[in-house]
Amino acid sequence: MKKLIYMDNAATTPVKSEVLEEMLPYFSEMYGNPSSIYSLGSHSKVAVEEAREKIGKAIGANPKEIFFTAGGSEADNWALKGIAYRNRDKGNHIITTKIEHHGVLHTCEYLEKQGFEVTYLDVDEYGIIDLNQLKKSITDETILISIMFANNEIGTIQPIKEIGEIAKEKNIYFHTDAVQAIGHINIDVEELNIDLLSMAAHKFYGPKGIGALYIRRGVKIDPLISGGAQERNRRAGTENVPGIVGMGKAIELAYENLDENNRKLIKLRDSLIKKIFDNIDHVKLNGHPTKRLPGNVNLSFEFIEGESLLLSLDMEGIAASSGSACTSGTLDPSHVLLAIGLPHEIAHGSLRLSLGDFNTEDEVDFVVEKLVEIVARLRAMSPLYERVKEEK
Ligand SMILES: *Cc1c(COP(=O)(O)O)cnc(C)c1O
């Protein structure tokens, strides 16, 4: 097999070796159930609590406000359903955006069927919400504002601090899906007035199937999963001890080297964008030029199908995405690209290259070289492109 060039770090990341090393003993040596009272169990319990501390520290929260889940989707489901059901007596209105991850969007659609009302805020051409529209959408019935920290497709970062201030002033809970932001951006839940925050370890070099929901002390929320008394009666089920240990190590590593890593990533990202623009015409950058995730590049190539582009890149050993892992399974263009106003045909020609800690400038050069070839070959088959060329 050809050497793989992995530029799909927004879909998932590899587990770093330091993370794996910390996890390994918890599979078959330290396998005790954290709820058991003998020493083998209490070793696991200690490991879980150490990880909880690391995660709390990373976002400025008390460890008691961190609750482990089986990933980002569960955290999103819990935040929305848990708040909605528990606060039904206060109101039935939720505000979110049109560009949320399906973990939030589909949960909102489910809640609508249960009688809740949901406002889906528009975004501008860069994918940023309008704070005035947010303020105007608030009613006496509003119990929750759920707005993602950074978008998984186009990388746009929302004005979270301003949203937090609005929510706090109106006494409305503020949840943010920070799955793309945690481990990549400095986040302080106090400074930002965040009440609930979703995260997933596999987006920052931890294992899959483990995540957490930060729940501010005093927030009234129902459990999503009932059963045993784990997670202080809020999330039943024997803890995923190796996963939790891995998540703790991964978040610690991410914030230890954050500034240096981000400087490197932004340099690589901007170099990739520049080289593509220098060598390919009829291409557009989606998302905000600066308010974007350090590793995110999202482009639309006119006269091209994103799917064909992905397949051709795969043949060169390059892993990328045409929007999001979830949308590439369907024929509909991504809801995010439509929400920023792209016409269907332009949205269809989109490509997401998401860079991570293991990418290099050599890889960037290789990807640009291959993209130039592939785009030229695919466009040669497009009658529309031929006509545009002749008209020039
Ligand atoms: C990946 C992702 C999720 C889902 O996380 P899982 O761990 O795959 O369930 C939710 N929201 C965003 C923004 C994501 O990028």
Side-chain angles (χ1 to χ4, degrees), residues 4-169:
L4 176 75
I5 295 185
Y6 187 73
M7 290 199 181
D8 203 15
N9 289 275
T12 196
T13 55
V15 173
K16 281 191 173 165
S17 56
E18 301 97 308
V19 172
L20 178 63
E21 211 173 294
E22 293 245 336
M23 292 172 67
L24 283 175
Y26 293 94
F27 285 101
S28 46
E29 289 162 45
M30 316 262 267
Y31 52 82
N33 188 320
S35 302
S36 304
I37 56 167
Y38 41 79
S39 314
L40 189 67
S42 51
H43 285 320
S44 297
K45 173 93 183 142
V46 168
V48 166
E49 294 317 313
E50 279 174 2
R52 203 187 305 279
E53 262 170 46
K54 289 175 187 170
I55 294 160
K57 187 165 164 246
I59 62 165
N62 188 300
K64 286 188 180 142
E65 298 172 309
I66 305 296
F67 297 86
F68 291 109
T69 65
S73 302
E74 186 190 321
D76 285 342
N77 270 261
W78 185 11
L80 289 151
K81 293 175 186 167
I83 291 292
Y85 289 136
R86 180 62 188 273
N87 297 278
R88 211 165 194 165
D89 57 332
K90 290 213 188 71
N92 73 339
H93 182 228
I94 295 166
I95 300 174
T96 186
T97 78
K98 288 185 179 163
I99 61 162
E100 297 298 309
H101 187 273
H102 285 146
V104 167
L105 275 188
H106 289 167
T107 306
C108 284
E109 287 162 17
Y110 167 83
L111 287 170
E112 281 183 290
K113 288 190 197 130
Q114 307 298 311
F116 289 91
E117 289 201 15
V118 182
T119 300
Y120 300 89
L121 299 176
D122 297 315
V123 293
D124 66 12
E125 60 178 313
Y126 299 116
I128 297 180
I129 65 146
D130 175 353
L131 292 167
N132 284 323
Q133 194 195 9
L134 168 63
K135 280 187 213 159
K136 279 186 215 142
S137 306
I138 295 171
T139 71
D140 292 344
E141 292 281 319
T142 311
I143 49 175
L144 178 68
I145 296 171
S146 178
I147 295 178
M148 70 198 316
F149 207 110
N151 185 267
N152 45 304
E153 294 187 39
I154 56 174
T156 301
I157 300 167
Q158 298 297 334
I160 294 296
K161 192 168 161 56
E162 288 80 355
I163 299 167
E165 276 163 11
I166 293 168
K168 190 175 180 187
E169 193 197 307

Side-chain angles (χ1 to χ4, degrees), residues 386-392:
E386 290 303 305
R387 212 182 314 148
V388 169
K389 252 190 352 190
E390 275 161 27
E391 279 167 12
K392 261 201 194 166

Side-chain angles (χ1 to χ4, degrees), residues 202-369:
H202 73 107
K203 304 283 173 77
F204 53 87
Y205 310 97
K208 296 171 190 39
I210 183 72
L213 181 64
Y214 155 77
I215 307 174
R216 179 182 291 280
R217 210 179 137 212
V219 166
K220 294 190 168 65
I221 184 166
D222 273 356
L224 184 69
I225 298 184
S226 307
Q230 291 92 352
E231 300 297 282
R232 299 171 53 237
N233 282 314
R234 285 187 153 178
R235 200 282 190 182
T238 302
E239 297 85 344
N240 173 357
V241 181
I244 289 170
V245 168
M247 183 170 177
K249 182 66 182 177
I251 207 162
E252 192 177 55
L253 281 179
Y255 284 104
E256 243 168 46
N257 305 311
L258 189 78
D259 293 340
E260 194 194 319
N261 271 352
N262 279 352
R263 255 194 304 279
K264 196 192 128 203
L265 265 181
I266 288 171
K267 192 161 160 261
L268 214 54
R269 175 194 78 190
D270 292 346
S271 158
L272 177 58
I273 295 171
K274 182 174 186 306
K275 284 173 179 167
I276 288 172
F277 273 84
D278 285 350
N279 290 288
I280 303 176
D281 59 3
H282 291 97
V283 54
K284 176 188 183 305
L285 179 70
N286 298 316
H288 197 278
T290 53
K291 288 174 195 162
R292 75 187 297 138
L293 288 168
N296 176 284
V297 176
N298 188 308
L299 302 155
S300 286
F301 296 89
E302 279 184 68
F303 317 109
I304 278 185
E305 282 289 326
E307 298 293 303
S308 328
L309 199 52
L310 283 190
L311 291 176
S312 303
L313 285 169
D314 184 40
M315 286 198 275
E316 301 294 345
I318 300 164
S321 157
S322 74
S324 94
C326 326
T327 39
S328 57
T330 74
L331 283 176
D332 285 337
S334 118
H335 64 287
V336 177
L337 298 176
L338 295 180
I340 61 172
L342 292 194
H344 275 242
E345 67 276 13
I346 307 277
H348 269 305
S350 83
L351 175 72
R352 180 186 70 186
L353 296 159
S354 44
L355 302 165
D357 291 0
F358 298 112
N359 291 121
T360 63
E361 191 71 47
D362 281 349
E363 290 182 334
V364 163
D365 289 339
F366 180 78
V367 168
V368 174
E369 184 192 318

